[in-house]
Amino acid sequence: MIRSHGAIALASFASKCDELVPCRGAKCSISCGATSSSSSSSSNSSENYRRTLEALKSKNRRPKRWLGQNYMVNSNINDEIVRAAEIQPGDLVLEIGPGTGALTDSLLCAGAYVIAVEKDPDMVSLVSERFKDNPRVKLFQDDILKWHIRLHLSNWMETIKSPSKLVKVVSNLPFNITTDVVKKLLPMGDLFSNVVLLLQDEAAARFIDDSPKGDEYRPISIFIRFFSEMEYKFKVDRLNFFPPPPVNGAVVSFSLKDSSQYPEVKSVKRFFTLVNSAFTGKRKMLRTSLRHLYSSSEVENALCSIGVVETVRCFIIFPLFLARSLDSSRQGLINYHSVSLLIFTTLWQRRV
């Protein structure tokens, strides 16, 4: 847990500025018309670092533990996030939790239009002041989990008359809302092209892990692969944040699928009801886990139709099916996620 949020902690952390971030010269202005050189990018990092700390100290602003606030104080990382998102001039970007506006600044430097949603009124005030003269920034004070994404984005896109049909999401995400945000955004492949998030490294590892053998393999693993293709970009050391969280971060990218690319199921909602039910007791037989949805005979018949023993348990159904799906011509194995989707999709289609 975060140990201190007070002025003493801020002063102590600020004193380490020159140790953690090399001192650099010029800063990228808020208007950001062109890409910085390597030397000016270097100076931008030091400036952004000090600017973040000064902004937090002003008007008694402090990171709030209950909001999961850990601010990025190394603008080189922000620039890397922007590159990972492949931001081009004119791109439309939804930023969740802009905080002090450090990542927002990097997005603007790349030429993006940014619509930002911030829950903390103190940070809303700070970002509003920082970018008050920049017409490419629109800020909302709201909870992203309650904010009407489609309504606000469609209105915004009409206002700026952008030719772009899809929006990108780029965010240094509060670690405590990662799963909820992923569940909200990934099914919107008609609105977003890709989602690039800085989140907890352990969560990123769980999301991308292809093996269902361990305890960390969950319905969210199937959910992510159903709606997107995920890529682990790079690790971010915890000391690049203020206050430093107890764990490292990681940047991941989700390339969202169009609905035509989803596995064929008659009802996505009911499909995931089946998946969640199967995982409520990973070591129970599937016919037991799913008995409130189907009779034992229905589940057994569906499993037998795809060559799986009727007494199979959720935690072993994936490797069992995988073992029977060796592709000798490619000298490899079918991806675990693909197998899990195939099994559940087959089971679903047989009974719905």
Side-chain angles (χ1 to χ4, degrees):
M1 298 300 293
I2 299 169
R3 295 179 179 177
S4 176
H5 301 284
I8 294 177
L10 281 165
S12 174
F13 201 69
S15 69
K16 298 180 180 179
C17 175
D18 293 326
E19 300 174 20
L20 292 177
V21 185
C23 196
R24 318 193 218 175
K27 67 181 179 180
C28 178
S29 89
I30 293 175
S31 59
C32 297
T35 305
S36 305
S37 67
S38 59
S39 61
S40 62
S41 171
S42 191
S43 102
N44 180 33
S45 180
S46 181
E47 176 65 22
N48 224 338
Y49 184 97
R50 288 182 170 83
R51 195 171 192 174
T52 297
L53 294 178
E54 288 170 2
L56 289 174
K57 287 189 288 185
S58 69
K59 299 181 181 179
N60 204 31
R61 294 172 175 131
R62 297 187 178 98
K64 298 178 176 65
R65 183 185 305 183
W66 67 276
L67 286 176
Q69 292 177 338
N70 302 95
Y71 298 111
M72 172 56 59
V73 290
N74 183 345
S75 67
N76 285 336
I77 301 296
N78 288 328
D79 292 342
E80 287 188 52
I81 294 172
V82 170
R83 285 192 289 271
E86 300 180 355
I87 300 299
Q88 301 297 321
D91 278 354
L92 308 180
V93 176
L94 167 62
E95 184 184 4
I96 302 168
T100 63
L103 178 56
T104 312
D105 193 57
S106 292
L107 290 166
L108 293 170
C109 285
Y113 289 82
V114 179
I115 185 168
V117 182
E118 173 61 60
K119 186 175 182 178
D120 185 352
D122 289 338
M123 295 300 105
V124 170
S125 174
L126 191 157
V127 174
S128 296
E129 294 171 10
R130 182 171 181 177
F131 300 109
K132 62 183 178 181
D133 297 323
N134 195 314
R136 289 192 283 123
V137 181
K138 187 173 182 63
L139 180 64
F140 284 86
Q141 181 182 332
D142 212 330
D143 182 344
I144 188 61
L145 299 176
K146 299 176 181 178
W147 193 62
H148 199 306
I149 290 179
R150 291 188 181 277
L151 174 63
H152 290 299
L153 287 186
S154 61
N155 292 339
W156 178 56
M157 293 167 75
E158 289 179 7
T159 301
I160 63 177
K161 296 180 172 58
S162 171
S164 178
K165 295 181 179 179
L166 294 176
V167 179
K168 295 180 178 180
V169 180
V170 183
S171 173
N172 174 6
L173 200 64
F175 293 169
N176 58 358
I177 62 170
T178 296
T179 299
D180 291 335
V181 169
V182 166
K183 286 182 176 180
K184 181 166 186 174
L185 298 180
L186 295 198
M188 298 184 180
D190 62 320
L191 182 60
F192 301 118
S193 58
N194 66 318
V195 176
V196 176
L197 304 177
L198 171 52
L199 43 80
Q200 187 176 353
D201 186 52
E202 293 176 0
R206 281 200 305 269
F207 287 168
I208 204 166
D209 185 8
D210 279 347
S211 173
K213 297 179 181 179
D215 293 335
E216 298 300 336
Y217 193 77
R218 301 173 183 179
I220 189 65
S221 306
I222 296 177
F223 182 93
I224 288 172
R225 188 50 58 103
F226 190 101
F227 291 109
S228 70
E229 293 295 334
M230 178 181 169
E231 181 182 357
Y232 185 105
K233 291 293 188 179
F234 57 90
K235 187 174 183 177
V236 179
D237 191 278
R238 58 186 289 272
L239 294 180
N240 288 293
F241 298 89
F242 180 79
V247 294
N248 293 321
V251 173
V252 298
S253 174
F254 303 89
S255 296
L256 272 56
K257 297 178 181 178
D258 182 80
S259 58
S260 63
Q261 299 173 300
Y262 298 164
E264 294 184 11
V265 294
K266 293 183 178 179
S267 167
V268 173
K269 181 178 180 180
R270 293 175 67 189
F271 170 74
F272 280 104
T273 296
L274 182 151
V275 172
N276 291 328
S277 296
F279 274 84
T280 54
K282 287 179 66 175
R283 299 187 180 276
K284 294 180 181 179
M285 288 185 288
L286 273 177
R287 64 185 183 189
T288 301
S289 299
L290 302 177
R291 62 187 174 188
H292 65 293
L293 298 174
Y294 310 105
S295 67
S296 293
S297 60
E298 286 177 316
V299 176
E300 290 169 4
N301 290 337
L303 290 170
C304 289
S305 71
I306 57 174
V308 177
V309 62
E310 61 189 38
T311 56
V312 72
R313 291 170 170 79
C314 181
F315 83 104
I316 62 172
I317 188 172
F318 309 111
L320 267 177
F321 192 84
L322 181 65
R324 298 174 184 177
S325 304
L326 294 171
D327 188 343
S328 57
S329 64
R330 289 184 299 168
Q331 300 295 314
L333 302 177
I334 293 178
N335 183 282
Y336 274 115
H337 283 295
S338 299
V339 172
S340 59
L341 284 172
L342 176 59
I343 289 178
F344 276 112
T345 301
T346 303
L347 181 59
W348 184 256
Q349 289 175 329
R350 294 282 179 177
R351 304 316 319 158
V352 178

